[in-house]
Structures are given as structure tokens and as C-alpha cells.
Amino acid sequence: MRFKPAIIKEYIHEIVREHLSGVQYDPESVPELTRSLAECIKDKVKDEGFDRYKLIVQVLIGEQRGQGVKMSSRCLWDADTDNYAEDVFMNDSLFCVVTVFGSYYY
């Protein structure tokens, strides 16, 4: 099964909203929250048949103060099989950016 960014984005969207709706930013709980979100998203993607892919899940949670955030990534991959999906969540207290990279195992 090919890595399909639209499907992965739906998974990310669903899981992030489920975990972060109504949550207030707390710097003490953010490290554990990012780890648990990353694990949950990785498990969901693997369970849906993307087991031939090496998955890299990056979760960034920050306090919402009206600031801008710029992110970039670089990697070497096969444009025919590898891809990525991302989604952004924001509420009054925090923002969350999730990126899932899928690199095919040959």
C-alpha cells in the first residue's frame, strides 16, 4: 500500500483533536503529551497497513501567544514511494503541528 498523505492527514486530524480539544498549555505536561501523541499517531498509521514504511512522527506543541512559527525539513528520499502528511491544530491556549514522514522499506 502506498503512503497516502490525504488518509494520513485525516488520522492526524482525528487523533490530535481528540487529545487536545479543551486542553490548556502547561509546560510541565507538554513533553509527555507530545510523546503520547506521536506514539498514538504512529500506531494508528501502522495499523492501517503502512507497515512497509519507516515512519517518522514529529509533534510540536507550543503556547499560543500570537507568534509566528516557521519549520522546515530536509531528507533524501524516493519521490515515487516516499511522502509526508501534516496537520495543524490551534486553540486559545496552544498550537500543535504534526508531521508524519513515510519512507518505504525496499
Side-chain angles (χ1 to χ4, degrees):
M1 173 182 254
R2 288 191 58 150
F3 192 88
K4 297 183 174 103
I7 293 171
I8 305 300
K9 183 173 179 147
E10 287 177 27
Y11 298 155
I12 297 168
H13 187 84
E14 173 187 313
I15 291 167
V16 169
R17 269 133 196 89
E18 179 182 304
H19 283 79
L20 295 182
S21 291
V23 172
Q24 295 294 310
Y25 181 81
D26 174 20
E28 300 297 320
S29 65
V30 165
E32 179 54 37
L33 188 56
T34 56
R35 274 191 293 276
S36 67
L37 269 173
E39 279 298 315
C40 190
I41 292 166
K42 183 186 74 167
D43 292 344
K44 173 71 173 174
V45 172
K46 280 199 178 261
D47 289 346
E48 296 300 321
F50 296 100
D51 51 340
R52 290 286 302 159
Y53 282 85
K54 169 73 173 170
L55 299 174
I56 298 96
V57 180
Q58 181 180 20
V59 178
L60 170 71
I61 297 177
E63 187 172 11
Q64 183 70 276
R65 290 187 172 179
Q67 74 277 27
V69 174
K70 294 187 181 198
M71 294 176 56
S72 67
S73 302
R74 289 182 61 167
C75 57
L76 183 62
W77 69 15
D78 183 343
D80 293 332
T81 57
D82 304 342
N83 215 328
Y84 75 98
E86 63 184 346
D87 196 33
V88 176
F89 171 86
M90 287 189 278
N91 66 21
D92 292 337
S93 177
L94 59 82
F95 67 90
C96 177
V97 181
V98 177
T99 308
V100 177
F101 297 93
S103 179
Y104 189 77
Y105 275 149
Y106 284 101

